[in-house]
Amino acid sequence: MGEGRSSGTGLIRKVRHRFGISDPQFRREMSVMLGPSITSGNRVTALHNGDEIFPAMLEAVREARVSITFETYVYWSGDIGQEFAEALSERARAGIPVHVILDWAGSVQMDGDLLVQMEEAGARVQKYRPLRWHDLTRLNNRTHRKILVVDGRVGFTGGVGIADLWKGRAQDPQHWRDIHFRVEGPVVAQFQAAFNDNWIKTTGEVLNDAAFFPLLEPAGALDAHMFIASPTGGGESMHLMYLMAIAAATESIDLAAAYFVPDELLVDALVAALDRGVRLRILLPGPHLDSETVKIASRGSWGELLRNGADIQIYQPTMLHTKLMVVDGEFVSVGSTNFDMRSLKLNDEASLNIYDRDFALEMTRAFEEDLVRAEPCTLEAWCARPLRERVSEQLIRPLRSQL
């Protein structure tokens, strides 16, 4: 698996298949090349849709005793935004250190009163990369990470933002489909380190005592690590992670992607996996995708995959916002990272990788439950798409790296 390399423009060569997911070499390279090291003794609980996700997150915040760190992209006004502001404010008034990073662009729909409420309660709230005329070059770099850590012991990550669109159970187009994860065990320290990365960038301050990094005992049986990517420091690591996992596949790849705009290297890697006999199932948003530009750009990349045997399914009931990859029924990657160049090269992202067959089976079952609510896209249907769609795809093509 040694053909991937970087240049000034990023990775330019294919990562070749040299060993499988089950080979110890795969874990060694994922730890050494991407880092941090894989930790043992973790527990990961999958939470489906807002009805499960928000109560679990709010309960953890309300039970905080020594610290809260919270970083998110979307934070909008609404019932959920108000609930989180109240819970964080109450803990801050109780004397608990509360540190919050909100992306400037992702929180533009947030009522300023919520921000004032948290700050007046004693929470320290930072906006990530606010618009400044003298520093427009950084405007395209957003934090898309979704990290909540309570007492340094319980972590949350996944796809949800703080907005009413994520409420409910994905029952209609006004309630999105998503998965978030509650995590305990040694890997939570890596969640905290990921938050610290952008807290340092934003404030110049390090959060480094036992309130944030306590001794963590084993809480379960899962092997996992969380690593981060940013264009200011290792921006290719997410790209390389996907390429390495796809290159190691020998049996199956299940990919649920809210925004699917792969580059040529990723398409080539998926086609190479298909050529090896790997079953590839891709679940994508359908009529309720919230970005028409992404929908157009995504569709243009389906042809080569379909011609080589990929099974592409289009989720129908609502916006599919899940970010999930399961490889060979053993490796699972979740977090904030989308399967597009914005996530892989422009945004600050955080992904949790789990190495466990039982957990992979659980995620495969969830993936297949979503497939029941999807419709296949055949090669014939893709080839028969209207001329206006083909023209739109060509017009959008030069912008794919920004989507």
Side-chain angles (χ1 to χ4, degrees):
M1 194 183 290
E3 292 292 325
R5 68 177 177 86
S6 291
S7 72
T9 57
L11 288 164
I12 60 173
R13 291 195 183 171
K14 184 164 59 179
V15 179
R16 299 197 178 278
H17 174 71
R18 302 196 187 281
F19 43 76
I21 293 288
S22 298
D23 193 310
Q25 185 67 22
F26 176 71
R27 295 197 187 193
R28 280 196 289 271
E29 293 196 5
M30 291 292 274
S31 286
V32 172
M33 294 178 70
L34 300 177
S37 296
I38 298 169
T39 66
S40 300
N42 301 290
R43 177 188 299 139
V44 181
T45 303
L47 304 167
H48 296 271
N49 303 315
D51 279 357
E52 293 183 7
I53 296 165
F54 291 133
M57 293 176 71
L58 287 165
E59 179 184 17
V61 168
R62 290 164 181 152
E63 293 180 353
R65 293 295 176 266
V66 295
S67 67
I68 298 170
T69 52
F70 181 40
E71 180 174 354
T72 191
Y73 178 69
V74 168
Y75 196 127
W76 295 348
S77 296
D79 294 341
I80 290 300
Q82 185 64 50
E83 282 195 65
F84 271 86
E86 290 175 356
L88 293 166
S89 296
E90 188 280 327
R91 287 292 77 195
R93 284 193 296 272
I96 306 299
V98 176
H99 298 77
V100 179
I101 299 173
L102 303 177
D103 186 78
W104 173 81
S107 62
V108 291
Q109 296 188 46
M110 179 186 187
D111 190 330
D113 290 344
L114 298 180
L115 192 64
V116 171
Q117 176 183 341
M118 288 189 281
E119 291 177 331
E120 288 185 345
R124 297 183 60 191
V125 184
Q126 296 290 325
K127 288 291 187 81
Y128 188 78
R129 299 261 163 105
L131 177 63
R132 294 192 175 100
W133 67 268
H134 58 82
D135 199 10
L136 295 178
T137 58
R138 300 199 311 172
L139 183 61
N140 211 20
N141 170 213
R142 313 313 319 165
T143 179
H144 195 246
R145 297 173 187 169
K146 298 168 180 69
I147 300 169
L148 171 65
V149 182
V150 176
D151 294 345
R153 298 181 179 279
V154 178
F156 292 83
T157 194
V160 302
I162 306 305
D164 290 350
L165 281 171
W166 278 275
K167 290 171 63 177
R169 57 186 188 284
Q171 70 270 28
D172 56 46
Q174 288 71 49
H175 300 86
W176 288 3
R177 168 70 176 122
D178 217 332
I179 311 177
H180 223 63
F181 299 85
R182 185 184 190 276
V183 184
E184 298 171 272
V187 76
V188 175
Q190 296 177 3
F191 283 49
Q192 195 73 284
F195 177 88
N196 221 2
D197 174 66
N198 274 347
W199 188 257
I200 293 169
K201 290 179 190 175
T202 306
T203 68
E205 176 188 6
V206 180
L207 306 177
N208 65 336
D209 61 30
F212 302 99
F213 291 97
L215 177 65
L216 295 173
E217 301 292 341
L222 303 186
D223 294 342
H225 63 156
M226 174 176 264
F227 62 92
I228 59 177
S230 169
T232 60
E236 286 288 341
S237 62
M238 288 297 177
H239 198 198
L240 181 57
M241 182 273 286
Y242 277 123
L243 290 167
M244 289 172 63
I246 293 166
T250 58
E251 300 173 7
S252 62
I253 301 170
D254 288 335
L255 175 66
Y259 307 101
F260 181 80
V261 190
D263 67 348
E264 185 176 343
L265 274 178
L266 285 167
V267 172
D268 287 349
L270 292 170
V271 169
L274 288 163
D275 289 344
R276 293 194 301 274
V278 174
R279 182 194 68 189
L280 173 60
R281 299 187 292 186
I282 304 174
L283 180 62
L284 303 176
H288 305 291
L289 180 61
D290 66 334
S291 172
E292 186 64 27
T293 304
V294 170
K295 181 185 292 187
I296 294 168
S298 177
R299 193 172 49 223
S301 65
W302 298 357
E304 188 172 359
L305 295 170
L306 289 167
R307 278 191 288 270
N308 285 276
D311 177 9
I312 298 179
Q313 298 280 335
I314 310 303
Y315 191 74
Q316 297 298 312
T318 186
M319 170 65 184
L320 178 82
H321 200 257
T322 306
K323 301 99 167 55
L324 170 68
M325 182 167 70
V326 184
V327 181
D328 286 357
E330 181 174 347
F331 169 82
V332 180
S333 184
V334 298
S336 64
T337 310
N338 290 308
F339 208 81
D340 63 10
M341 292 304 101
R342 170 157 291 281
S343 273
L344 299 180
K345 294 189 176 183
L346 297 177
N347 286 343
D348 290 11
E349 301 282 4
S351 281
L352 175 67
N353 288 349
I354 301 125
Y355 304 76
D356 183 84
R357 288 197 171 275
D358 288 340
F359 187 79
L361 178 59
E362 179 185 348
M363 291 297 95
T364 299
R365 288 171 176 161
F367 180 87
E368 291 178 343
E369 287 175 5
D370 285 337
L371 287 182
V372 173
R373 308 177 77 188
E375 295 180 359
C377 176
T378 64
L379 178 59
E380 293 73 20
W382 184 83
C383 290
R385 68 199 188 283
L387 177 61
R388 67 178 182 277
E389 293 185 8
R390 299 166 184 258
V391 172
S392 297
E393 291 162 12
Q394 292 304 311
L395 293 174
I396 290 293
R397 190 171 183 83
L399 304 176
R400 288 165 61 90
S401 64
Q402 302 298 309
L403 301 177

